[in-house]
Structures are given as structure tokens and as C-alpha cells.
Amino acid sequence: MGDGDEYLIKKCGLKFDPPSLVLAYVDIKTNKLRRRTMPLRDFHKNSKLDEFITELKSAKHGQFVKLIPRGQLVRLLTIVKDKLNGMSLEASLARNSELEKIDPEENLNKVDDETLQRKKLQMDALFEKNRKKPGDPGFEYDIEVDFENQAKIESSGWDSDGSDPEF
């Protein structure tokens, strides 16, 4: 059995003094509910989340950290970072909710790296949630869809007549 098969994460949260991740999990071997507090040593207000997550996964509690979905881990560490920067918990939660909101009209080319990464994590999680794989109920292979709005598509002049001699 691998590490992922030995434990089932039930809850994941934070403790602020000192900054720590707190996990409630079931030990599959014994079927007992356990709690583990993992101090976030060397985490400060300027820590880079990606680097810190990589360090956490290779540290003493790495087998547990690897079981936490990346999006949740980023959210929790962002809350700790905001708190270390003097932001209230309520303001941090509101900021995190805004970072994770997906708006199809938003231009992601104009956002900062942190926002882009958070949006990508949310989109990946949503994709996996809605994805149907072979063996799933309702899975169909090679679905063909006939779009009725074909006539409303406007063609552009540059790609329609093929009169450009260079091509």
C-alpha cells in the first residue's frame, strides 16, 4: 500500500499562532480518526507559495501534505501569508474568494501571476469534477454535435478567398 492508500483526509485547516496546517484524517489500517498539526517553519510574509509547497511535500509530514488538493493548500497558505502581512481573516477570505471566482468575461492576460495561477487551479478542479472518463456513468465516446448557429458566424476577408500569392 502506498501513502495515498493509508490515509484519508477528512478536514484541513489552519492555526495562526504559530502558523500551522491542521489535518484530521482517518488511518485506514486502524480505522481511527487522527489529528496532525504541521508547523509551517520558515514560512514568512514574502514566501513563494510554489517553492514552499514543494518543500512541504518533501518534509517530515510530506506524506500528508501530498494528500491535500493543491488548490486547497494554496488557499490555506495564502490566508496565512495575508495574516502575516497584517490582513484580517475576513479580508483574506474575501480576497481568496475573489481570486477563485471564474468570470468568462475576465481577460486573464491582464492579471498578475498569483491571480492567474489561482484561476488555473480553479479551472482544473472544475474540469476534473465535470470530466467523464471511460467507465463513468453517462460516458459516451465520440459525440458529434451539430451547432445550429453556424449561419451567424461571420467570416473575415483575410481567410476567405485565398488570393494571397505568398500562400
Side-chain angles (χ1 to χ4, degrees), residues 1-12 23-36 63-64 67:
M1 270 179 124
D3 291 338
D5 298 331
E6 295 176 23
Y7 308 107
L8 177 64
I9 302 290
K10 291 299 210 176
K11 292 181 183 179
C12 187
L23 289 180
Y25 64 95
V26 174
D27 185 333
I28 303 294
K29 291 179 192 174
T30 62
N31 202 28
K32 287 188 178 181
L33 184 63
R34 302 217 181 259
R35 183 176 169 200
R36 180 169 297 265
Q63 62 187 358
F64 298 100
L67 299 175

Side-chain angles (χ1 to χ4, degrees), residues 1 9 13-14 17 27 30 35 41 44 57 67 70 84 98-99 119 124 127 140 147 155 160 164:
M1 270 179 124
I9 302 290
L14 293 172
D17 191 21
D27 185 333
T30 62
R35 183 176 169 200
R41 292 183 182 91
H44 49 83
K57 288 183 176 182
L67 299 175
R70 186 171 182 83
L84 291 173
E98 189 63 33
L99 283 172
K119 302 278 185 187
D124 288 346
F127 172 78
E140 291 181 47
F147 295 99
S155 62
S160 60
D164 192 346

